[in-house]
Amino acid sequence: MTGKSPFEALSVETLAGRLGANEALCSQIGKDTSQWKVREVGDGNLNLVFIVEGAEGAAVVKQALPYVRLVGDSWPLPLKRSFFEYHALTRQQARALGSVPEIYHFDEGQALIIMEYLSPHIILRRALIEGRQLPNIAKDIGLFMARTLFRGSDLHMATKDRKADLALFADNVELCDITENLVFSDPYFDAKMNRHTSPQLDGIVAELRADRDLKVEAQRMKHIFAANAETLLHGDLHSGSIMVTDTETRMIDPEFAFYGPIAFDVGMLLANFWMAFFSQRGHEQGGSRDAMRDYLLGVTVETWSVFRVEFSHLWRTERTGMLYHKSLFEDQGDRLGAEQALDHMLQSIWTDLLGFAGVEVHRRILGLAHNADFETIADPDLRARCEAKALKFGRHVAVNRRQIHSIDEVNRLAALIERESRI
């Protein structure tokens, strides 16, 4: 199979015949295709994903489709997104060793990546829905974000290399367009593909769409997202893009990667923990989830703390790029000047991540692509009560982000909203 062949989507029936001579895959699972077992496990919005097991092991084959799978061929999408995913994964692996699956093979023409099969890992979102309290996720994710976001920026990279990388990822236009519209604009008007729990949320949806302050702030966040090319982002970092065991955490699916604001990945990720927090009321059939709620708020605190500590460490030890150059500070004996600049940067990241978190909450409840945290709550009235609290929280942190000074303050707000109208 070569990149020169016309694109053809794989299937369970055709995969062995088409990839049976692929040396990278055969070296992982064995050459005898008669012993291969192929399962299609792609449950995401965009791609085909297969687990291929052979006599000697297993691997994952992921292939892009020329359309948005969630919608169908009425929404075409370029195959080149697999190119950006491959290049993002290689950079993430170099910048945060062991945080992503190992890549065995990339075929640009067929838009497919053959990569490590993560087992017994499960999707983090599923684990949180099940009420599992994983001990390492905050540390692992905080380190991943700090290392990839710092080392992919002008704080660390050589200027020439960083600009070449910026040019490469600037071509990920269509996936940026999805984010720019589905996240920052569509939730705030009657967009064609929007959906929400109706009629239960109709009233609050109308209020949010009429909320001038909220819409201005959402567009301000869109402006920052589009204009502030600080670093290479994962671009879609949420609890459905992370695979976990009790001892290991791996990030997957960075096909939305592009150069944007450092705060974006951090805000989107923390938003998913806050949504998981508000969804817990809908998953209490087996008993109280008070301990799980406490755990999730604790995860947000630890994730942000780990990020800050590691980002600060890298600032002091790996600040080799053109920004805040040491010749202006440490080389002149002015360590405090460098610390002042660091404080300003962390404060800017903090303020902006709250805005990104707020709009992420809204788009996951009001837009096209929803979270299983809420969607798996079968009772629509109960689901709507959970979602309404999250929507209120999202509005507050987005609009009032400049007046919120700590994550403890955010979590006190979340706890207060959750206690309102308890069921």
Side-chain angles (χ1 to χ4, degrees), residues 37-315:
K37 296 179 181 178
V38 182
R39 289 182 288 140
E40 212 269 289
V41 296
D43 58 356
N45 297 328
L46 299 180
N47 307 293
L48 296 170
V49 182
F50 303 90
I51 296 173
V52 189
E53 298 174 280
E56 299 178 17
V60 166
V61 177
K62 180 176 180 179
Q63 186 180 40
L65 291 169
Y67 52 82
V68 177
R69 186 178 186 185
L70 177 65
V71 177
D73 56 14
S74 63
W75 188 346
L77 204 61
L79 297 172
K80 195 175 182 181
R81 65 185 186 272
S82 67
F83 170 89
F84 298 113
E85 178 171 5
Y86 165 73
H87 281 281
L89 285 168
T90 60
R91 285 154 178 75
Q92 290 166 354
Q93 175 67 359
R95 294 165 185 166
L97 187 64
S99 62
V100 300
E102 182 180 352
I103 302 300
Y104 303 137
H105 178 75
F106 171 58
D107 185 329
E108 183 174 356
Q110 294 299 316
L112 69 83
I113 305 171
I114 301 174
M115 67 184 83
E116 178 183 4
Y117 172 46
L118 299 175
S119 178
H121 302 64
I122 66 169
I123 293 294
L124 173 58
R125 179 170 290 136
R126 174 182 156 195
L128 298 180
I129 291 171
E130 293 174 355
R132 289 178 56 181
Q133 297 184 23
L134 298 146
N136 296 330
I137 56 171
K139 178 182 177 182
D140 292 343
I141 298 168
L143 290 175
F144 170 81
M145 292 192 299
R147 290 169 180 173
T148 56
L149 298 173
F150 186 94
R151 290 170 173 162
S153 76
D154 270 323
L155 295 168
H156 175 75
M157 292 182 72
T159 301
K160 180 180 179 181
D161 295 339
R162 189 261 180 191
K163 283 182 166 54
D165 228 33
L166 174 63
L168 185 147
F169 282 94
D171 194 32
N172 201 3
V173 175
E174 288 82 4
L175 269 69
C176 285
D177 180 71
I178 290 175
T179 301
E180 288 154 3
N181 290 306
L182 266 62
V183 175
F184 298 104
S185 294
D186 285 7
Y188 304 107
F189 74 102
D190 188 20
K192 180 179 179 180
M193 290 184 289
N194 282 355
R195 61 186 179 88
H196 64 264
T197 305
S198 181
Q200 291 89 341
L201 293 182
D202 289 357
I204 191 171
V205 170
E207 289 177 13
L208 293 174
R209 290 178 181 167
D211 190 329
R212 180 185 301 159
D213 290 341
L214 174 60
K215 290 187 290 185
V216 168
E217 205 56 53
Q219 290 306 289
R220 175 59 185 155
M221 300 318 301
K222 185 175 185 178
H223 185 175
I224 294 170
F225 175 84
N228 194 0
E230 284 186 310
T231 190
L232 180 63
L233 300 174
H234 179 287
D236 196 28
L237 189 60
H238 54 74
S239 55
S241 297
I242 302 170
M243 299 195 70
V244 296
T245 67
D246 286 340
T247 59
E248 191 173 60
T249 310
R250 302 281 196 99
M251 312 330 137
I252 62 172
D253 295 347
E255 59 201 327
F256 281 80
F258 91 114
Y259 270 77
I262 290 172
F264 182 76
D265 276 357
V266 188
M268 301 290 272
L269 186 279
L270 291 178
N272 278 261
F273 288 134
W274 283 313
M275 282 186 280
F277 169 84
F278 285 109
S279 77
Q280 293 301 306
R281 187 71 51 190
H283 303 296
E284 290 189 317
Q285 296 84 349
S288 171
R289 288 285 186 100
D290 285 345
M292 189 65 187
R293 278 185 280 271
D294 290 342
Y295 162 78
L296 285 163
L297 295 185
V299 167
T300 67
V301 172
E302 186 181 356
T303 302
W304 175 237
S305 175
V306 169
F307 174 87
R308 283 175 54 93
V309 169
E310 181 67 5
F311 193 93
S312 299
H313 169 72
L314 296 171
W315 175 279

Side-chain angles (χ1 to χ4, degrees), residues 184 217 221 350-360 394 397-398 401:
F184 298 104
E217 205 56 53
M221 300 318 301
W350 166 252
T351 301
D352 288 347
L353 79 82
L354 292 176
F356 290 126
V359 297
E360 168 70 354
V397 297
R401 62 195 182 95

